[in-house]
């Protein structure tokens, strides 16, 4: 709280694996979202998700998660982004109505409520969820080389995303944007 006192703490994750919470966001009512990566079967209170088999590892791989907790620390829902190869959760934003947005990186296909095909290596994504965790929309961000999503924020109904890319073309959804850069890696904001 504002006085520096811990109101609640919860552990989440899977046995014997390295699970990482990369992002946290809180709304004015004290509801909390966390996002990151997990491998195996991860427990969030009484809720669980299991990662997808990665044929390159011949084992369960790393998948993305987003989880919502109420102001008392009780888990409300958890979603995974299932992909056969390594994927990451790199940005998280929420609004006052309880909607949430997750940004990350993926290769091949990633599935939240729906499967999203990707023909680019190391593309980024932004996915939107309603207050109860249903996927609302998904956008792939790719280009001439690799794209890595960074921080994500929401203000006055607008989303802002920053990241890094190689190449000189950025594809957001179905919109191509030429980004001229003399640098091997360049930053972007949209």
């Amino acid at each position: 709280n504002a006085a520096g006192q811990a109101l609640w703490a919860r552990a989440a994750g899977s046995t014997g694996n390295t699970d990482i919470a990369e992002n946290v966001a809180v709304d004015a009512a004290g509801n909390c979202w966390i996002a990151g990566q997990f491998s195996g079967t991860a427990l969030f209170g009484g809720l669980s998700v299991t990662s997808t088999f990665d044929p390159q590892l011949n084992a369960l791989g790393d998948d993305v998660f987003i989880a919502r907790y109420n102001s008392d620390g009780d888990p409300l829902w958890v979603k995974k982004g299932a992909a056969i190869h390594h994927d990451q959760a790199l940005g998280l934003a929420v609004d006052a109505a309880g909607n949430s947005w997750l940004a990350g990186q993926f290769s091949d296909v990633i599935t939240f409520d729906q499967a999203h095909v990707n023909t680019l290596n190391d593309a980024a994504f932004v996915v939107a969820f309603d207050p109860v965790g249903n996927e609302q929309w998904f956008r792939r961000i790719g280009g001439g080389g690799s794209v890595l999503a960074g921080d994500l924020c929401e203000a006055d109904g607008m989303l802002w995303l920053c990241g890094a890319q190689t190449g000189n073309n950025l594809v957001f959804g179905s919109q191509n944007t030429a980004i001229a850069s003399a640098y091997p890696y360049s930053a972007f904001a949209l």
Side-chain angles (χ1 to χ4, degrees):
N1 64 17
Q5 298 170 324
L7 300 178
W8 57 266
R10 300 291 183 269
S14 58
T15 304
N17 294 305
T18 303
D19 304 315
I20 303 168
E22 297 275 2
N23 306 276
V24 64
V26 181
D27 68 11
N31 296 299
C32 176
W33 288 255
I34 61 169
Q37 294 81 241
F38 76 100
S39 181
T41 298
L43 301 176
F44 297 79
L47 307 175
S48 67
V49 288
T50 300
S51 64
T52 304
F53 183 81
D54 184 334
Q56 291 177 337
L57 299 175
N58 199 31
L60 293 175
D62 293 328
D63 279 338
V64 170
F65 75 85
I66 178 172
R68 181 178 180 184
Y69 293 81
N70 67 18
S71 60
D72 292 325
D74 301 319
L76 299 176
W77 54 263
V78 61
K79 289 280 184 164
K80 72 175 179 178
I84 61 170
H85 301 300
H86 181 74
D87 43 294
Q88 298 175 297
L90 300 167
L92 177 63
V94 301
D95 69 8
N99 298 299
S100 55
W101 297 269
L102 177 64
Q105 177 274 330
F106 75 119
S107 297
D108 202 58
V109 176
I110 192 167
T111 303
F112 290 94
D113 289 345
Q114 300 175 32
H116 304 284
V117 177
N118 177 35
T119 57
L120 302 170
N121 189 34
D122 293 330
F125 68 85
V126 176
V127 59
F129 298 97
D130 69 12
V132 295
N134 297 311
E135 181 182 332
Q136 299 301 293
W137 54 260
F138 180 95
R139 300 291 184 274
R140 178 182 56 88
I141 307 159
S146 64
V147 176
L148 187 64
D151 204 6
L152 179 69
C153 68
E154 185 277 340
D156 299 323
M158 301 289 291
L159 282 179
W160 298 91
L161 173 70
C162 68
Q165 65 139 11
T166 60
N168 58 10
N169 188 41
L170 190 65
V171 179
F172 183 77
S174 61
Q175 181 178 357
N176 290 332
T177 304
I179 299 178
S181 175
Y183 306 106
Y185 290 91
S186 58
F188 69 85
L190 52 94

